């Protein structure tokens, strides 16, 4: 929806960009994405758009590329440290997946791995 409206706009001005980013932010918030992440995404896209705007690139494609790069950057593993369980504390791990994707098997292997190392698994 947001990019379709952006592509159908005759002129991609500040108002069209703001409307596009608002729709993207609304969709992310409805999908329970953290408010701080959404605010950071919006501000980063705006900053980068100001920096790269005069480079002669199609503004519609530039906005789409910037949004894509910010979304993938927020989800990339480089931005977070890997989880390391601590002994003596309850460590909670959530496995998510579609039906038949192997959640139960993975949970069993995970628990077996840590129980062999002397951890207590529930």
């Amino acid at each position: 929806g947001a990019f379709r409206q952006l592509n159908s706009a005759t002129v991609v001005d500040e108002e069209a960009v703001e409307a596009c980013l608002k729709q993207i932010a609304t969709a992310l918030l409805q999908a329970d994405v953290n408010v701080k992440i959404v605010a950071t995404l919006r501000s980063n896209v705006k900053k980068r758009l100001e920096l790269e705007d005069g480079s002669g690139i199609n503004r519609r494609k530039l906005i789409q590329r910037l949004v894509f790069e910010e979304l993938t950057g927020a989800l990339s593993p480089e931005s977070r440290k890997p989880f390391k369980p601590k002994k003596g504390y309850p460590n909670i791990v959530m496995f998510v997946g579609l039906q038949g994707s192997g959640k139960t098997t993975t949970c069993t292997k995970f628990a077996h791995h840590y129980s062999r190392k002397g951890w207590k698994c529930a």
Side-chain angles (χ1 to χ4, degrees), residues 3-45:
F3 291 128
R4 189 177 303 127
Q5 286 184 354
L6 184 69
N7 287 332
S8 66
T10 54
V11 178
V12 182
D13 56 354
E14 209 49 49
E15 189 176 309
V17 172
E18 194 62 40
C20 177
L21 290 176
K22 184 176 181 181
Q23 284 185 337
I24 292 169
T26 302
L28 290 171
L29 291 171
Q30 287 176 349
D32 290 334
V33 176
N34 190 328
V35 176
K36 291 179 185 177
I37 293 173
V38 175
T40 303
L41 178 117
R42 281 184 79 168
S43 65
N44 287 350
V45 169

Side-chain angles (χ1 to χ4, degrees), residues 21 28 33 37 39 45 59 66 69 85 91-92 100 102 116 121:
L21 290 176
L28 290 171
V33 176
I37 293 173
V45 169
R59 193 169 169 135
L66 293 176
E69 289 174 0
N91 295 285
I92 300 170
R116 279 195 346 229
C121 299

Side-chain angles (χ1 to χ4, degrees), residues 3 13 29-30 34 36-38 42 46 55 57 60 72-73 75 84 90-91 93 95 97 104 106-107:
F3 291 128
D13 56 354
L29 291 171
Q30 287 176 349
N34 190 328
K36 291 179 185 177
I37 293 173
V38 175
R42 281 184 79 168
K46 286 180 187 178
S55 60
I57 299 173
R60 289 177 178 90
T72 54
L75 298 174
K84 292 186 180 177
N91 295 285
V93 180
F95 290 85
T104 304
T106 305
C107 289

Side-chain angles (χ1 to χ4, degrees), residues 32-117:
D32 290 334
V33 176
N34 190 328
V35 176
K36 291 179 185 177
I37 293 173
V38 175
T40 303
L41 178 117
R42 281 184 79 168
S43 65
N44 287 350
V45 169
K46 286 180 187 178
K47 286 177 191 172
R48 289 182 62 191
L49 185 61
E50 289 174 8
L51 292 174
E52 298 182 30
D53 201 19
S55 60
I57 299 173
N58 183 347
R59 193 169 169 135
R60 289 177 178 90
K61 289 184 180 180
L62 177 63
I63 294 168
Q64 289 178 0
R65 181 175 57 86
L66 293 176
V67 169
F68 176 77
E69 289 174 0
E70 287 298 322
L71 281 173
T72 54
L75 298 174
S76 68
E78 294 101 29
S79 63
R80 297 176 186 235
K81 297 177 189 171
F83 173 72
K84 292 186 180 177
K86 298 175 186 143
K87 275 204 170 187
Y89 294 96
N91 295 285
I92 300 170
V93 180
M94 180 168 52
F95 290 85
V96 180
L98 298 173
Q99 291 178 343
S101 64
K103 294 179 298 295
T104 304
T105 305
T106 305
C107 289
T108 305
K109 289 180 179 181
F110 190 82
H112 181 68
H113 171 77
Y114 279 103
S115 64
R116 279 195 346 229
K117 289 188 170 196

